[in-house]
């Protein structure tokens, strides 16, 4: 049996031949019918590779000190929050909810989580229930507030502020009606570094499968940005764009991965998904096909950074990297944004930096957050 290194070399060489052939034969379409590009030229993309390697090197720093707010209003008392989750099967949504619970305990508030189940009807029902409870504030956890416009309007009429987590594309306060602030890293940065990792890891020659959930505007925008950055390297070919709704990931991902392995074989060298959870569900299909956990294909999650993703990375089991959201921090930031809203203060405007975790720099960790954020918020709140 060939070593992992030999398999990797063979696959990348195969991809290089594919790039040459693509100039003559055109581009295969992904099973989702997503947009594709014919790679041109016979090599990689030296200038793009250099920039990608430098960007990845900087993003791999794990010892990032707290750079957020150090002042603000003291803790308001007796407040209650409802966290409406797009679906608690999404590790990012669930991780942010855990952060909100932890921060609420620290500040002395109560929290209730209502799971929308990942369907439009379920999310609307969850938002209706949240508004009916008349809490002090509502968290829009991972879904577009426009999809619950009636409930958002009712919350506004009752003076209930909303804070989003991945609710819209841009972080901070914006023009979204009823949304005091939106807590997220910059999607442009997450998308860019995910694609740059592939470019750097493959030396500018890769065959890539991109997995997204087109039903979520935030996720669709992220995957579009990833695709755009991948196109900056002429040696990278996008083999397929797979649209798998997150609630269906458990049932559909294994089938799609098996089909893709049969279809693309050694041409598939790298994968990028808008959420780490897809690789949880992909692992059985890779294993059944005899693929080694250490790759290829080399898989990167463009967001979330759930503990299960870190475990896969640290043990080299069908995931090589993730661009983790600082989920605990973001939960605390959500609570701080509400505290500012309750005190009549503006949103903090803080946006966490982009980080990338690999086996090289995660050192057995199960999450990532800038250091010192809990102490900073406790000091602000007088707790």
């Amino acid at each position: 049996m060939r070593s992992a290194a030999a398999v990797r070399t063979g696959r990348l060489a195969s991809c290089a031949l594919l790039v040459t052939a693509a100039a003559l034969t055109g581009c295969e379409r992904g099973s989702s019918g997503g947009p594709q590009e014919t790679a041109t030229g016979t090599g990689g993309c030296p200038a793009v590779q250099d920039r990608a390697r430098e960007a990845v090197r900087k993003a791999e720093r794990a010892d990032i000190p707290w750079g957020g707010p150090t002042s603000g209003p003291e803790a308001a008392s007796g407040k209650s929050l409802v966290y409406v989750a797009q679906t608690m099967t999404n590790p990012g949504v669930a991780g942010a909810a855990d952060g909100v619970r932890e921060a609420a305990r620290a500040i002395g508030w109560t929290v209730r989580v209502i799971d929308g189940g990942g369907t439009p009807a379920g999310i609307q029902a969850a938002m209706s229930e949240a508004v009916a409870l008349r809490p002090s504030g509502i968290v829009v956890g991972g879904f577009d507030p426009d999809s619950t416009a009636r409930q958002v309007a009712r919350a506004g009429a009752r003076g209930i502020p909303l804070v989003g987590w991945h609710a819209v594309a841009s972080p901070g306060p914006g023009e979204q009606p009823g949304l005091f602030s939106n807590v997220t890293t910059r999607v442009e940065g997450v998308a860019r570094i995910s694609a740059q990792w592939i470019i750097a890891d493959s030396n500018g020659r890769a065959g890539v499968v991109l997995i997204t959930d087109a039903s979520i505007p935030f996720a669709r925008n992220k995957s579009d940005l990833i695709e755009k950055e991948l196109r900056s390297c002429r040696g990278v070919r996008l083999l397929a764009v797979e649209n798998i709704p997150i609630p269906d990931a458990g049932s559909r991902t294994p089938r799609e991965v098996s089909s893709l392995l049969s279809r693309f074989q050694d041409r598939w060298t790298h994968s990028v998904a808008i959420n780490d959870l897809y690789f949880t569900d992909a692992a059985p299909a890779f294993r059944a096909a005899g693929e080694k956990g250490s790759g290829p294909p080399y898989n990167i999650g463009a967001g979330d950074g759930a503990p299960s993703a870190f475990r896969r990375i640290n043990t080299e089991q069908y995931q090589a990297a993730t661009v983790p959201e600082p989920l605990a921090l973001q939960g605390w930031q959500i609570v701080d944004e509400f505290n500012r809203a309750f005190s009549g203060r503006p949103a903090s405007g803080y946006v966490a930096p982009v980080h990338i975790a690999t086996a090289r720099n995660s050192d057995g960790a199960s999450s990532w957050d800038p250091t010192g954020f809990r102490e900073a918020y406790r000091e602000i709140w007088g707790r």
Side-chain angles (χ1 to χ4, degrees):
M1 184 176 289
R2 291 183 295 169
S3 68
V7 173
R8 182 186 184 100
T9 301
R11 280 217 173 180
L12 293 179
S14 176
C15 187
L17 293 174
L18 171 67
V19 168
T20 304
L24 301 175
T25 62
C27 186
E28 293 187 62
R29 295 187 63 82
S31 62
S32 65
Q36 304 293 308
E37 178 184 70
T38 300
T40 59
T42 58
C45 47
V48 177
Q49 288 173 242
D50 288 344
R51 290 194 297 272
R53 280 192 287 267
E54 179 61 17
V56 169
R57 185 189 66 79
K58 290 181 178 178
E60 283 181 330
R61 280 194 57 198
D63 57 339
I64 298 174
W66 175 240
T70 56
S71 63
E74 290 189 1
S77 61
K79 299 299 182 180
S80 61
L81 303 179
V82 173
Y83 186 107
V84 178
Q86 182 255 349
T87 172
M88 289 294 281
T89 63
N90 182 328
V93 172
D98 288 342
V100 170
R101 290 187 182 109
E102 180 189 20
R105 287 193 296 270
I107 203 172
W109 298 352
T110 63
V111 178
R112 176 173 176 178
V113 176
I114 303 176
D115 191 346
T119 68
I123 293 167
Q124 290 172 8
M127 273 293 284
S128 292
E129 183 179 353
V131 174
L133 290 170
R134 295 182 179 268
S136 306
I138 297 174
V139 183
V140 178
F143 60 92
D144 185 354
D146 281 344
S147 67
T148 58
R150 293 182 188 176
Q151 292 86 351
V152 168
R154 286 202 293 271
R158 295 179 179 181
I160 304 172
L162 309 180
V163 172
W165 181 85
H166 283 216
V168 293
S170 299
E175 298 179 357
Q176 187 73 27
L179 202 62
F180 177 76
S181 190
N182 183 52
V183 175
T184 179
T185 49
R186 296 192 189 280
V187 67
E188 299 88 353
V190 173
R192 185 180 304 113
I193 200 65
S194 303
Q196 287 174 323
W197 180 84
I198 290 174
I199 292 168
D201 187 69
S202 68
N203 291 317
R205 296 177 175 87
V208 183
V209 169
L210 170 59
I211 306 174
T212 189
D213 181 348
S215 70
I216 303 174
F218 183 94
R220 185 174 61 247
N221 180 46
K222 185 192 293 185
S223 58
D224 288 347
L225 291 168
I226 292 170
E227 181 178 345
K228 179 180 178 181
E229 186 67 26
L230 290 172
R231 289 179 184 277
S232 70
C233 181
R234 66 183 183 178
V236 172
R237 185 179 184 194
L238 187 60
L239 300 175
V241 178
E242 293 297 313
N243 175 29
I244 303 175
I246 286 175
D248 299 336
S251 60
R252 285 190 51 188
T253 304
R255 295 199 307 268
E256 297 295 343
V257 167
S258 295
S259 175
L260 291 165
L261 285 169
S262 175
R263 181 179 179 186
F264 295 118
Q265 301 181 36
D266 286 355
R267 290 174 288 170
W268 181 7
T269 69
H270 290 76
S271 315
V272 54
I274 55 93
N275 193 298
D276 289 312
L277 70 85
Y278 290 105
F279 299 124
T280 299
D281 300 316
F286 285 129
R287 192 174 293 111
E291 300 290 345
K292 289 189 174 181
S294 55
Y298 302 98
N299 302 319
I300 180 170
D304 292 328
S308 60
F310 278 84
R311 286 194 296 272
R312 286 191 295 274
I313 291 166
N314 292 328
T315 59
E316 295 187 311
Q317 288 297 304
Y318 306 105
Q319 187 163 353
T322 184
V323 184
E325 294 284 345
L327 297 172
L329 157 65
Q330 289 176 338
W332 283 64
Q333 184 183 348
I334 287 168
V335 170
D336 183 63
E337 301 295 0
F338 276 118
N339 195 50
R340 293 169 189 271
F342 299 150
S343 304
R345 301 279 287 274
S348 72
Y350 173 66
V351 183
V354 171
H355 174 64
I356 189 165
T358 66
R360 183 169 58 247
N361 71 339
S362 61
D363 193 27
S366 60
S367 63
W368 174 80
D369 291 285
T371 59
F373 75 89
R374 290 179 177 86
E375 295 79 5
Y377 280 126
R378 285 181 180 277
E379 185 172 346
I380 291 171
W381 302 337
R383 297 289 181 172

